[in-house]
Amino acid sequence: RPRSLSGIQPTAESFHLGNYLGAVRQWVGLQEDHDAFYFIADLHALTVQPDPAQLRARVHRSAAQLLAAGVDPERSALFCQSHVPEHTQLAWVFNCLTGFGEAGRMTQFKDKSAKAGADKASVGLFTYPILQAADILLYNPHHVPVGEDQRQHLELSRNLAQRFNHHYGETFRQPEAYIVKGTAKIADLQDPTAKMSKSASSPNGIVDLLDDPKKAAKKIRSAVTDSGDTIRYDPEGQPGIANLLTLFATVAGTTVDDVVAQFEGQQYGHLKVALADLVADLVSGFGERTRAYLDDPAELDRVLAAGAARAREVAAPVVVDVYDKVGLVRGV
Ligand code: ATP
Ligand code: MG
């Protein structure tokens, strides 16, 4: 079976609609016919110096949310990045294969460091795409389900795979980004030209999956829309409405064309009210399932431990092979 792999950062109390529709839903779909490896990127979360107690709690919340979203630990290895030390072991090798300028061209780093202030951005934030290349290539996945914002990092992973193979012999597969067109960049509800983001969106710009359903509905109803009053799909001219149409189509399981037809001649407000109901239902069920998993932290730990054991079976021999190939002498 082909392999799929992806990760998500425990950088907030809740995942948001963009994470779910853009990425995690695809994780769940791919586990049907892929050997799947999905992880909570706790080491990546360290790049922004989170509070330790908060980070610990968020790892459990992340695991519970992934289970609530439908990641099935019987079929997918669900684990915590820091439980598989091979990720950082391989990352060092890739650090040494990446050019300084090459790393500096990563737009996520430019955006996030600009926000933090140049002096405050950590070296970890700078090198995190390289750790991400290790996260991915360790498992030789065919498909990496992510949102549009990860495309450049995936390209770096592909380049590093090729570079390593060129220097040291065929070792890594060049993974394909698995990016679903319509939902790859769910927009911030208050600023439809920006992506919805755990760390950058304002509270009203983001629908958290663990939001109270009434609050989620209210956020949808107060989404910023464009001037004009015709409901049509025009991401350039009417990004606010285009985002709501995408959300509606995906959550309702239909197409944007069908939604446009359904609301023909109606006003923006009608679309918002109907979408608000759909989203309230979605977060209501999601919240219930997540809370049920959170009630049993020992079971979450058991799931993560089993996932890490399966991941290490794959990852450990890769690091041995890589260390041999680059000329490190095996310890006795
Ligand atoms: P942060 O702001 O901390 O970077 P994030 O919201 O970007 O958080 P990540 O944990 O970095 O979330 O990303 C998890 C997955 O969700 C990735 O595959 C990413 O591409 C995807 N993703 C994030 N935001 C969106 C969005 N607005 N639309 C679609 N996919 C998204
Ligand atoms: Mg992100």
Side-chain angles (χ1 to χ4, degrees), residues 7-135:
I8 188 161
Q9 303 191 74
T11 37
E13 294 302 296
S14 171
F15 297 152
H16 56 71
L17 221 40
N19 299 137
Y20 176 59
L21 300 178
V24 176
R25 238 168 45 118
Q26 279 65 259
W27 300 14
V28 173
L30 287 173
Q31 71 186 354
E32 298 295 329
D33 54 0
H34 285 63
D35 279 332
F37 295 84
Y38 299 133
F39 66 95
I40 299 163
D42 54 350
L43 295 172
H44 288 295
L46 283 185
T47 55
V48 291
Q49 292 118 34
D51 171 73
Q54 203 168 51
L55 176 59
R56 240 186 309 273
R58 286 174 176 179
V59 166
H60 273 126
R61 288 174 80 88
S62 299
Q65 289 177 82
L66 291 173
L67 295 172
V71 171
D72 173 4
E74 295 298 320
R75 282 182 290 175
S76 301
L78 176 62
F79 62 99
C80 214
Q81 185 187 24
S82 65
H83 295 175
V84 183
E86 286 78 8
H87 288 238
T88 44
Q89 291 173 332
L90 182 60
W92 181 254
V93 175
F94 288 155
N95 267 308
C96 300
L97 281 178
T98 308
F100 202 84
E102 187 179 25
R105 282 194 291 277
M106 297 295 120
T107 55
Q108 286 244 341
F109 172 73
K110 288 194 221 170
D111 292 351
K112 288 190 173 179
S113 61
K115 216 158 266 159
D119 295 339
K120 293 218 182 74
S122 67
V123 175
L125 190 63
F126 185 65
T127 61
Y128 112 80
I130 303 170
L131 174 57
Q132 191 177 332
D135 298 334

Side-chain angles (χ1 to χ4, degrees), residues 213-295:
K214 286 204 186 77
K215 190 164 148 195
K218 186 155 176 233
K219 288 180 185 178
I220 296 283
R221 287 195 306 268
S222 6
V224 166
T225 39
D226 326 281
S227 56
D229 53 12
T230 313
I231 295 181
R232 61 166 172 240
Y233 186 71
D234 173 12
E236 296 291 318
Q238 300 181 195
I241 284 298
N243 193 40
L244 298 183
L245 288 169
T246 297
L247 289 174
F248 196 110
T250 326
V251 176
T254 165
T255 65
V256 166
D257 284 347
D258 281 346
V259 183
V260 171
Q262 184 183 336
F263 285 94
E264 200 194 326
Q266 300 194 50
Q267 284 162 348
Y268 288 174
H270 294 113
L271 172 65
K272 286 186 181 176
V273 168
L275 177 61
D277 286 347
L278 284 180
V279 168
D281 277 352
L282 177 92
V283 301
S284 159
F286 189 88
E288 270 172 39
R289 292 195 298 280
T290 302
R291 281 188 293 276
Y293 286 114
L294 279 173
D295 273 346

Side-chain angles (χ1 to χ4, degrees), residues 3 37 79 84-87 89-90 134-135 137-140 172 308-322:
R3 283 205 187 135
F37 295 84
F79 62 99
V84 183
E86 286 78 8
H87 288 238
Q89 291 173 332
L90 182 60
D135 298 334
L137 297 182
L138 266 182
Y139 300 91
N140 272 318
F172 295 112
R310 275 163 72 186
R312 288 200 81 180
E313 277 172 29
V314 174
V318 173
V319 167
V320 171
D321 180 40
V322 165

Side-chain angles (χ1 to χ4, degrees), residues 9 11 16 18-19 112 146-147 149 184 186 195-199:
Q9 303 191 74
T11 37
H16 56 71
N19 299 137
K112 288 190 173 179
V146 287
D149 59 335
I186 300 296
K195 88 165 188 92
M196 197 179 273
S197 151
K198 282 194 236 99
S199 54

